[in-house]
Amino acid sequence: MGIVNVTPDSFSDGGKFSNTDAAVAHALKLIDQGADILDIGGESTRPGATPVSLDEELSRVIPVIEALSRVATVPISIDTYKPEVMRAAIAVGADIVNDVRALQEDGALDAVAESNAGVCLMHMQGTPQTMQLNPEYADVVAEVKHFLMRRVDAVIARGVSHERVLLDPGFGFGKTTAHNIALIRHLDAIADIGLPLLVGLSRKSVLGKIAGGDEAQRLHSGLAASVISAMKGAKIVRVHDVKATVDALKVVAAVI
Ligand code: 7PM
């Protein structure tokens, strides 16, 4: 899964190229590099980020999804927790809802249940504004697993079939370095729930804590994380660096 962030300045080139065109071009490049899914986000789910208004988020992501759905050869995922964005994205061709709040926002369960979209349910402790202040668990693996199983029950109860559901332990979302490492080490326990696992470790601070380096220097540590995750049962890795990740995962696929 290739990450496509649609933000006012993420592809800025002084205005010759609109944000929409730049994001679409970036997405097509990721497909060319081997991405099997594109994850389109308007930044509302970034930890610590200033909240993006509904109208702003819609105006960022909907034109990109609309344009991509006409030309893209792979499924399109919308990274949002807002039910209005989910509905609008699905209406213009999004195939998957990627929700860091696991459809706990009012109306989000219905938005997905009333569609045929797939859904990724992610674990987070707390809220993006405060979750990294003091994450605490008695048993992080058991608690993340328990939460995800309860959210699976909730979506199934609304009539979403299990074939539509992906699960994600939510690396970096209310977790210390030790919590993140425990979750990678025991990823097989989360995979045992029986639904496909998606993991997002690309460029995250846990990699910097382990191997050093700021965001731009976390490619190699991120590749190690993707390889370990795949070996422990992850089916989808959400990454910025698609070409390098695809090469690494081809080696995993050859031996697994
Ligand atoms: C700052 C910190 C900016 C972290 C952006 C991020 C995940 C996700 C994100 C994940 C799923 C990023 C994150 N992370 N969705 N959205 N799983 N399903 O690296 O781990 O893009 S935001």
Side-chain angles (χ1 to χ4, degrees):
M1 171 183 270
I3 300 170
V4 181
N5 285 319
V6 194
T7 59
D9 50 11
S10 57
F11 301 100
S12 170
D13 68 345
K16 270 179 291 176
F17 216 30
S18 78
N19 294 314
T20 301
D21 291 345
V24 169
H26 184 67
L28 295 176
K29 186 177 84 180
L30 297 185
I31 295 175
D32 198 52
Q33 293 179 350
D36 292 320
I37 305 173
L38 296 169
D39 189 38
I40 317 300
E43 260 211 328
S44 76
T45 63
R46 285 174 73 106
T50 7
V52 175
S53 75
L54 172 60
D55 285 348
E56 175 65 22
E57 189 175 344
L58 287 168
S59 74
R60 289 183 190 181
V61 298
I62 298 306
V64 175
I65 294 169
E66 199 167 22
L68 271 180
S69 69
R70 280 188 239 115
V71 293
T73 49
V74 302
I76 296 167
S77 159
I78 171 67
D79 185 351
T80 190
Y81 62 84
K82 296 186 181 119
E84 299 90 344
V85 178
M86 295 173 188
R87 287 184 191 276
I90 291 166
V92 296
D95 303 283
I96 300 167
V97 170
N98 171 26
D99 184 2
V100 301
R101 295 194 184 173
L103 305 182
Q104 294 179 101
E105 198 78 2
D106 281 347
L109 270 172
D110 288 332
V112 169
E114 290 166 17
S115 77
N116 291 313
V119 61
C120 178
L121 304 171
M122 198 195 82
H123 174 273
M124 166 164 56
Q125 183 180 83
T127 66
Q129 286 69 40
T130 59
M131 65 192 179
Q132 288 306 111
L133 297 179
N134 187 27
E136 277 187 278
Y137 301 86
D139 181 338
V140 65
V141 177
E143 287 169 46
V144 167
K145 185 171 182 174
H146 179 79
F147 171 85
L148 292 175
M149 290 171 62
R150 280 197 2 250
R151 295 312 296 157
V152 171
D153 293 343
V155 299
I156 300 285
R158 291 294 176 108
V160 175
S161 70
H162 63 89
E163 290 93 345
R164 290 167 55 188
V165 184
L166 307 167
L167 301 178
D168 185 337
F171 289 106
F173 287 82
K175 280 116 186 157
T176 63
T177 299
H179 295 142
N180 287 310
I181 292 171
L183 282 166
I184 304 174
R185 181 178 290 129
H186 298 292
L187 206 58
D188 48 339
I190 311 289
D192 280 348
I193 296 172
L195 295 174
L197 271 196
L198 187 160
V199 304
L201 280 155
S202 186
R203 301 185 186 174
K204 284 191 177 170
S205 65
V206 59
L207 301 174
K209 292 275 166 47
I210 295 170
D214 60 23
E215 268 197 53
Q217 293 155 335
R218 295 175 190 161
L219 169 62
H220 308 97
S221 49
L223 291 173
S226 285
V227 167
I228 295 167
S229 298
M231 296 291 297
K232 287 182 177 287
K235 297 293 186 231
I236 300 170
V237 290
R238 179 182 177 277
V239 298
H240 301 84
D241 304 286
V242 169
K243 175 74 172 86
T245 303
V246 167
D247 283 359
L249 293 182
K250 280 179 179 169
V251 179
V252 174
V255 299
I256 212 168

